[in-house]
Amino acid sequence: MKLRQKIILTHVLTIALILTGVVVYGNTVLRPRLLQDKTAEYDAYINQLCTSASLVLSNMEQNCFNLYQNVLLAEGLESHASPSKKRIQVEQELRNMCGNNSYFTSFFAVDLEGNTFFGTSAITDRATPLLSAYYSLQDALENSYNYWFRGDNEEQLYLKMPVCYITPLKFTGMLIAQTSSQQMMSALGMDRAMSGKTCILTRAGASLLETSHFSTEEQQAVVEYACQTARPLSREVRVDGVSYWITVHTDTRYGWRAAHLIPLSDALNLANAVCSSGALLCLAVAALAIGLAALIAHSLTRSVQKLQLAMNEVSKGDFDVQVDINTRDEIGELAEKFSWMQKNLKESTDQMIRHAVEHQKAEYALLDFKYRSLQSKISPHFICNILASISALAQMGRQKEVSTLAVRASQYLRDNLSAEEQRFTSLRTELRYVEEYVYLYREIYGDENTLVADIPAKTLNCRVPGMLLQPLVENALVHSGDLATRTIHLTARRQGDWLALRVSDNGGSFSEQTIREVEEINEDLIPVEKLKGFGLRSVLQRLRLLYRDHQSLTIFCDPGVESRIEIRIPWECYHIDDEALKRKEP
């Protein structure tokens, strides 16, 4: 088997083992652990729901009892006055009860003679739903003490309570109170964001509250398992061929069941996603590894060719040829013999080599100085990200985007390097640099940002320090927080003998400490090394160097809403030709 085939086969087997390990780990360790955590979460939620139901329902029943005890409802129902007078009295008491509570919206009362009365807090409410609910469950209502039920309109819940005197104990009629299911769910905490479906069943198995609509099969399964036992239940069930996880707890006071039902695939979606992502990642790595293996194998075969070409160059009198072969195989031994042959020839070229080394060091020092000078104006992270983005686009085969971004970046860096030797530039040129910077930033980071320039034409030829606005725009882009979209406004106005510049964004990210430090610096002109952030510090230093105390920089910040930097410098105008404000296309 050839060396190239061996390398590729080794990589394939390694990736296959890793992929198998990921799948086995996901199914034997990750899924059971996640299911255990989810089960504990559902148990805690349903147990809390049962506790809340017991407290809230008890409070609502007590509130309803206190309401009719604080008015003359019992006396009105027992009254032997004329029917019209009795109706006026009873319905007035019912309306008073509606206005004195926050739970119930309407009340329906029935006296011992079967007469019905209705009271509500809303003029638009009618007695028809309550009357229909009463007649449909008349026997059950008359044979029970406190009774909760849901009417034909699933958005309304009803509580039936007997009306009586306390001393002596004497029943005078029946009271049905109406409340909304949404209000009840809010009181019980059922409106919290919880995946799956939750319901509350009465002791008889009737559905009282549901966070989501249950299908017929799901409802039957919940009733079946909820009524099996009063003990807490948490297990996997099959509903219509689909695996579900059901959690049931029973309220010790009312005997109600709180049940939570969720498809098992939804409960384990994180584990499934991890396993799928791991498998896809392994496949991607496998493809990459195979490609790299083929590349490495190809490089090994090319080593011999490199060594042969080097020998040919030495035979022609070129003693400076270099062969980068450091392997410990036969090719490495051959390269070592070749190096021994070159050793006898290097003595005559020592002086040339030393000169070359010194020259190389001088060039390196010059390049290092230029790089550090460039660093003082452009964030190194931004340059690295430009190169990284170009590399990423190249690997994806997006040659057109690579060409466009590379030309843009090179033009932008070339302009900044040429501007480095000038202290001043026109506002027109500065605006063009800012537009180029924002464009590159958007292309590199994929941000949804907008640059709005409100600069009158008469201010475009005004003289400003070079790289004045770009650091402030960069600060707005980088430090304005996690915003879905960023909007940066640039404005320029002439105010007498002054030029007023403003840079604002919708992030509101400046701290009070930064604003206080800038105010102190503007007052006493102390050094600004203590101010954090290079961009703002460099702008302050250059303004002070060029204008001394004939300048100002002020920061305003409304946290989370807007940050605004205002600069005032003397008005000076260039006499230059008009330049296009639009960004030059490469």
Side-chain angles (χ1 to χ4, degrees), residues 44-84:
Y45 170 63
I46 296 301
N47 184 45
Q48 180 183 2
L49 183 58
C50 285
T51 303
S52 299
S54 177
L55 295 175
V56 171
L57 295 176
S58 176
N59 184 37
M60 295 178 72
E61 291 180 2
Q62 183 64 39
N63 181 269
C64 189
F65 176 81
N66 293 337
L67 286 173
Y68 78 74
Q69 285 296 321
N70 292 333
V71 298
L72 301 177
L73 181 61
E75 180 180 343
L77 292 176
E78 193 182 38
S79 173
H80 297 289
S82 62
S84 60

Side-chain angles (χ1 to χ4, degrees), residues 394-443:
Q395 293 178 7
M396 290 187 291
R398 296 164 59 180
Q399 301 300 326
K400 184 176 181 180
E401 289 87 342
V402 169
S403 177
T404 301
L405 187 58
V407 172
R408 289 274 187 163
S410 64
Q411 181 63 42
Y412 173 80
L413 297 177
R414 187 182 304 112
D415 290 343
N416 277 273
L417 286 173
S418 62
E420 179 183 355
E421 300 176 357
Q422 301 177 1
R423 286 191 175 185
F424 296 95
T425 185
S426 67
L427 183 57
R428 183 193 308 273
T429 303
E430 183 70 10
L431 178 61
R432 180 164 57 86
Y433 290 163
V434 169
E435 289 178 335
E436 289 292 337
Y437 177 84
V438 172
Y439 171 81
L440 290 175
Y441 192 95
R442 186 185 299 121
E443 292 296 319

Side-chain angles (χ1 to χ4, degrees), residues 492-504:
R493 295 290 186 273
R494 181 174 183 178
Q495 299 176 351
D497 295 332
W498 297 91
L499 173 65
L501 301 171
R502 176 185 295 176
V503 179
S504 62

Side-chain angles (χ1 to χ4, degrees), residues 194-205:
M194 174 66 72
S195 56
K197 303 177 181 179
T198 306
C199 68
I200 292 182
L201 307 176
T202 62
R203 185 187 297 272

Side-chain angles (χ1 to χ4, degrees), residues 506-520:
N506 59 342
S509 58
F510 282 106
S511 64
E512 294 182 358
Q513 180 181 358
T514 301
I515 297 175
R516 185 168 56 253
E517 290 176 353
V518 171
E519 292 176 349
E520 293 174 354

Side-chain angles (χ1 to χ4, degrees), residues 264-526:
L264 196 59
S265 59
D266 292 347
L268 297 176
N269 56 0
L270 179 59
N272 296 333
V274 170
C275 292
S276 301
S277 300
L280 292 176
L281 180 61
C282 288
L283 291 176
V285 172
L288 179 61
I290 293 174
L292 291 176
L295 182 62
I296 293 173
H298 180 66
S299 66
L300 290 177
T301 57
R302 291 188 61 186
S303 298
V304 176
Q305 297 176 355
K306 289 181 179 180
L307 186 58
Q308 183 179 4
L309 292 175
M311 289 181 178
N312 291 336
E313 294 297 325
V314 170
S315 65
K316 296 177 182 179
D318 186 1
F319 304 121
D320 296 327
V321 64
Q322 298 290 331
V323 181
D324 296 329
I325 301 177
N326 298 317
T327 59
R328 297 183 180 273
D329 52 11
E330 292 79 2
I331 298 177
E333 293 179 0
L334 187 61
E336 184 179 357
K337 297 297 183 180
F338 176 75
S339 298
W340 177 82
M341 180 188 67
Q342 282 185 306
K343 183 178 180 180
N344 294 326
L345 302 175
K346 289 182 179 180
E347 294 180 357
S348 60
T349 58
D350 284 345
Q351 185 177 1
M352 181 183 63
I353 293 175
R354 285 194 297 270
H355 177 73
V357 170
E358 292 174 358
H359 181 68
Q360 184 179 14
K361 289 182 178 180
E363 288 184 345
Y364 177 81
L366 179 60
L367 290 175
D368 183 65
F369 172 79
K370 290 185 177 181
Y371 176 74
R372 293 183 182 276
S373 177
L374 182 61
Q375 269 190 321
S376 67
K377 295 178 174 61
I378 305 174
S379 171
H381 298 291
F382 185 70
I383 298 176
C384 292
N385 284 326
I386 290 176
L387 299 179
S389 299
I390 294 174
S391 176
L393 292 174
Q395 293 178 7
M396 290 187 291
R398 296 164 59 180
Q399 301 300 326
K400 184 176 181 180
E401 289 87 342
V402 169
S403 177
T404 301
L405 187 58
V407 172
R408 289 274 187 163
S410 64
Q411 181 63 42
Y412 173 80
L413 297 177
R414 187 182 304 112
D415 290 343
N416 277 273
L417 286 173
S418 62
E420 179 183 355
E421 300 176 357
Q422 301 177 1
R423 286 191 175 185
F424 296 95
T425 185
S426 67
L427 183 57
R428 183 193 308 273
T429 303
E430 183 70 10
L431 178 61
R432 180 164 57 86
Y433 290 163
V434 169
E435 289 178 335
E436 289 292 337
Y437 177 84
V438 172
Y439 171 81
L440 290 175
Y441 192 95
R442 186 185 299 121
E443 292 296 319
I444 292 170
Y445 297 103
D447 279 6
E448 294 293 335
N449 55 69
T450 303
L451 178 66
V452 180
D454 180 14
I455 300 179
K458 63 181 181 180
T459 64
L460 293 177
N461 289 344
C462 185
R463 190 173 75 161
V464 297
M467 300 295 290
L468 178 65
L469 298 179
Q470 179 183 308
L472 304 182
V473 172
E474 180 181 4
N475 185 80
L477 289 172
V478 176
H479 301 292
S480 60
D482 296 330
L483 299 175
T485 59
R486 295 181 175 87
T487 302
I488 301 172
H489 292 268
L490 298 181
T491 61
R493 295 290 186 273
R494 181 174 183 178
Q495 299 176 351
D497 295 332
W498 297 91
L499 173 65
L501 301 171
R502 176 185 295 176
V503 179
S504 62
D505 64 80
N506 59 342
S509 58
F510 282 106
S511 64
E512 294 182 358
Q513 180 181 358
T514 301
I515 297 175
R516 185 168 56 253
E517 290 176 353
V518 171
E519 292 176 349
E520 293 174 354
I521 291 168
N522 283 338
E523 290 177 0
D524 51 22
L525 298 180
I526 60 176

